[in-house]
Amino acid sequence: MAKEKLMDFEKALEMFEPVLGFEVHVELNTKTKMFSAAPNSFGRDANTDLAPVDLGLPGSLPVVNEQAVRYSISLGLALGCQIAPSSRFARKNYFYPDLGKNYQISQYDEPIAFEGSVEVELADGDRIVVPIERAHMEEDAGKLTHVGGSTGRIQGADYSLVDYNRAGVPLVEIVTKPIYGAEHRAPEIAKAYVQTIRDIVLSLGISDARMERGNLRCDANVSLRPRGQEKLGTRTETKNVNSMRSVERAVRHEIQRQAAILAAGGSITQETRHWHEDTGTTSPGRPKSDADDYRYFPEPDLLPVVPSDELIEQLRAALPEPAADRRRRLKSEWGFSDLEFQDVANGGLLSEVAATIAAGSSPAAARKWWTGEITRVANAQGREASDLVAPADVAALQKLVDDGTLTDKLARQVLEGVILGEGTPQEVIDQRGLAVVSDDGALIAAIDEALASQPDVLEKIRDGKVQAAGAIIGAVMKAMKGQADAARVRELILERAAGA
């Protein structure tokens, strides 16, 4: 396929106004699936977490998961939505093999939550309000694995395998209204919006929100219209973008791609598009169907969902503090400067830093690890920092530094092992033999060996040239393979000089 032309981003914005829209799918972390008693888990052998209703077997009937309904109402309230006094499930018909019954149970014209808004904070502290059209309940589809070919996609594959474990997992889909006025900040707004949704669902405790696992997925809609034109342009929908960084890149790419086509006199095809992380480009998926093409009709096997006023108020009372208020509180509690806090917030790491502090780390140490070494590794691998390591392991790693078991240098090696899946920090230490040598006898032996090769150092130290100890410290650290406390080595050298 020929590489598509792109227009310079700034030039594209001179000619066209971008209009955005997002559909964020949140998998709920209930114990069982949306309409069956099958386990809602991750990583199990293919096609093991199943019940007859998940496969659409004849005679099986769906039953609504009450906890999923509660979670959905809580999310709707957190998004400032109205909760429908009565909402109904519908059958969304489409012909893909990832749902055995050939339709998805979703909500169409009667969603459980509607007409809300969420405040999104950008990197420089500016805030915008994103209007929410609806948040509706549905079930997830299974997972297709395309075998053969070079891309892992259906084009060019020899055959496809279906894992129905994910089929029936509870989902809430959050749909925004069109977002106007984004202009040059459109990619940044896309990333910040997804970050905000992730923070909200994590604070509610209703989803693991791990984008690399598909717990949180974003479909990014982008259209362009010539400056001064009222009519909206034709939109594309980039599907299932699985990281906040990729959402930002995908929106920028689509603006540049569409602008080049329109400027050359072409037209935009209304379609879904696939995001390619390796090339930073999108490619055509399928023509985007309108709602009529899905042939929605009310689900005859399920009654309407009618939450009581008492339940809604109970869930409203249990909501965590609003995201903007939480940010202000955390900044104050952690004692961060504006710049320090923005580093955490802009990295989408508020929840990770908060969880690390809750696990016993100091705020400064938590910020250092997440915005420093972990983010560096994530950028090098093209991944999200939050996907690499658990906050509890970061706190445990810092505790090992605090109690002298590790130096900062050794701790970075231990972190590498944790990211590679070698276990907890202590397990990595044990396997790699990375603990600091705390035996003064071993350190003194290494010091004496180093002094034997540089006998004039002690005299220099006695003459007041304390910096001469640096050469011996370096030699000892090399001999101990970095597993010595440099400060303790220095103390022992000075004691040796004083007592010799």
Side-chain angles (χ1 to χ4, degrees):
M1 183 174 66
K3 186 176 181 180
E4 293 183 292
K5 294 182 179 179
L6 302 180
M7 181 180 287
D8 175 77
F9 185 71
E10 296 300 330
K11 183 178 179 182
L13 292 176
E14 289 177 8
M15 300 178 64
F16 303 100
E17 177 192 355
V19 180
L20 308 178
F22 302 104
E23 299 162 21
V24 174
H25 299 77
V26 179
E27 281 189 348
L28 305 178
N29 57 11
T30 53
K31 292 181 180 179
T32 57
K33 292 186 178 180
M34 187 72 211
F35 302 111
S36 82
N40 175 16
S41 59
F42 178 84
R44 301 240 300 167
D45 290 341
N47 295 310
T48 54
D49 290 340
L50 295 174
V53 71
D54 304 318
L55 296 172
L57 296 182
S60 60
L61 292 174
V63 177
V64 176
N65 185 322
E66 179 182 355
Q67 187 63 61
V69 174
R70 287 173 172 266
Y71 281 174
S72 302
I73 293 172
S74 293
L75 179 53
L77 292 170
L79 296 171
C81 291
Q82 300 178 50
I83 304 302
S86 175
S87 65
R88 183 184 294 273
F89 287 102
R91 291 188 181 183
K92 177 181 180 181
N93 295 274
Y94 68 111
F95 297 98
Y96 293 91
D98 47 11
L99 279 171
K101 54 186 180 289
N102 273 353
Y103 62 85
Q104 179 188 39
I105 301 178
S106 181
Q107 292 188 311
Y108 175 42
D109 56 347
E110 299 180 66
I112 192 155
F114 59 96
E115 290 296 333
S117 64
V118 62
E119 185 180 76
V120 173
E121 185 170 341
L122 303 180
D124 60 359
D126 283 353
R127 295 185 176 92
I128 67 164
V129 175
V130 174
I132 305 296
E133 179 177 302
R134 55 191 281 144
H136 63 262
M137 298 180 288
E138 61 186 22
E139 61 179 337
D140 210 343
K143 182 178 180 180
L144 293 173
T145 300
H146 305 297
V147 182
S150 59
T151 66
R153 298 191 179 277
I154 193 169
Q155 295 86 353
D158 296 325
Y159 59 91
S160 299
L161 300 174
V162 187
D163 178 5
Y164 286 110
N165 280 350
R166 198 175 65 183
V169 167
L171 277 182
V172 175
E173 181 176 347
I174 306 164
V175 182
T176 70
K177 294 181 179 181
I179 301 168
Y180 303 99
E183 300 296 348
H184 69 283
R185 307 192 78 167
E188 181 187 0
I189 289 171
K191 177 182 178 181
Y193 172 71
V194 177
Q195 286 176 345
T196 301
I197 296 299
R198 181 174 180 270
D199 285 344
I200 289 172
V201 300
L202 284 173
S203 68
L204 289 169
I206 64 175
S207 174
D208 296 333
R210 296 183 63 172
M211 296 189 76
E212 85 282 7
R213 288 186 175 182
N215 300 145
L216 188 77
R217 310 191 293 271
C218 178
D219 298 342
N221 292 274
V222 177
S223 69
L224 300 182
R225 59 182 178 184
R227 291 289 172 185
Q229 178 178 298
E230 291 295 321
K231 183 181 178 181
L232 292 176
T234 301
R235 64 185 172 89
T236 62
E237 179 182 354
T238 305
K239 299 286 288 185
N240 294 334
V241 188
N242 64 357
S243 77
M244 290 174 284
R245 175 172 173 264
S246 294
V247 171
E248 183 176 29
R249 294 173 67 203
V251 168
R252 176 181 287 269
H253 174 81
E254 271 302 288
I255 290 173
Q256 294 180 269
R257 186 189 70 85
Q258 291 185 26
I261 293 172
L262 293 172
S267 60
I268 304 300
T269 301
Q270 183 171 327
E271 62 187 355
T272 63
R273 296 188 67 84
H274 300 296
W275 170 249
H276 302 278
E277 183 66 38
D278 53 345
T279 60
T281 61
T282 62
S283 63
R286 59 180 172 82
K288 178 61 179 174
S289 302
D290 292 321
D292 290 346
D293 296 321
Y294 290 117
R295 294 185 290 113
Y296 285 97
F297 65 87
E299 169 57 70
D301 293 330
L302 292 171
L303 293 171
V305 176
V306 184
S308 67
D309 291 341
E310 291 77 15
L311 174 61
I312 294 173
E313 291 312 311
Q314 174 191 340
L315 295 174
R316 191 191 307 276
L319 289 177
E321 64 189 320
D325 293 346
R326 177 172 179 257
R327 288 182 178 223
R328 286 188 284 269
R329 176 180 61 80
L330 291 178
K331 178 176 178 293
S332 175
E333 289 181 358
W334 295 344
F336 287 174
S337 67
D338 289 344
L339 184 59
E340 289 171 339
F341 191 80
Q342 283 179 10
D343 283 344
V344 174
N346 295 345
L349 297 169
L350 278 179
S351 295
E352 283 68 32
V353 170
T356 304
I357 294 169
S361 174
S362 69
R367 183 186 67 83
K368 177 195 74 172
W369 280 113
W370 283 106
T371 63
E373 186 67 9
I374 298 173
T375 292
R376 184 192 68 77
V377 174
N379 289 340
Q381 297 183 5
R383 298 170 63 188
E384 295 292 331
S386 57
D387 297 341
L388 298 182
V389 60
D393 284 335
V394 178
L397 184 65
Q398 183 59 39
K399 185 176 185 301
L400 292 165
V401 174
D402 293 340
D403 65 20
T405 302
L406 295 173
T407 62
D408 281 343
K409 182 177 180 180
L410 290 174
R412 289 193 290 274
Q413 296 180 49
V414 173
L415 175 65
E416 176 189 79
V418 173
I419 291 173
L420 290 173
E422 297 175 16
T424 66
Q426 188 60 59
E427 289 169 343
V428 174
I429 290 171
D430 294 341
Q431 292 168 17
R432 294 193 178 190
L434 291 175
V436 167
V437 175
S438 57
D439 178 6
D440 280 358
L443 296 178
I444 289 171
I447 290 170
D448 286 344
E449 183 177 343
L451 286 171
S453 64
Q454 302 182 62
D456 60 326
V457 170
L458 288 181
E459 290 302 323
K460 290 180 179 179
I461 295 174
R462 292 193 191 101
D463 291 340
K465 299 178 181 179
V466 179
Q467 65 271 22
I472 303 301
I473 294 172
V476 171
M477 295 299 290
K478 182 177 180 181
M480 304 302 290
K481 298 180 180 180
Q483 292 175 238
D485 183 342
R488 181 57 181 158
V489 172
R490 186 175 188 277
E491 290 176 2
L492 292 173
I493 293 172
L494 295 181
E495 289 176 8
R496 184 80 168 78

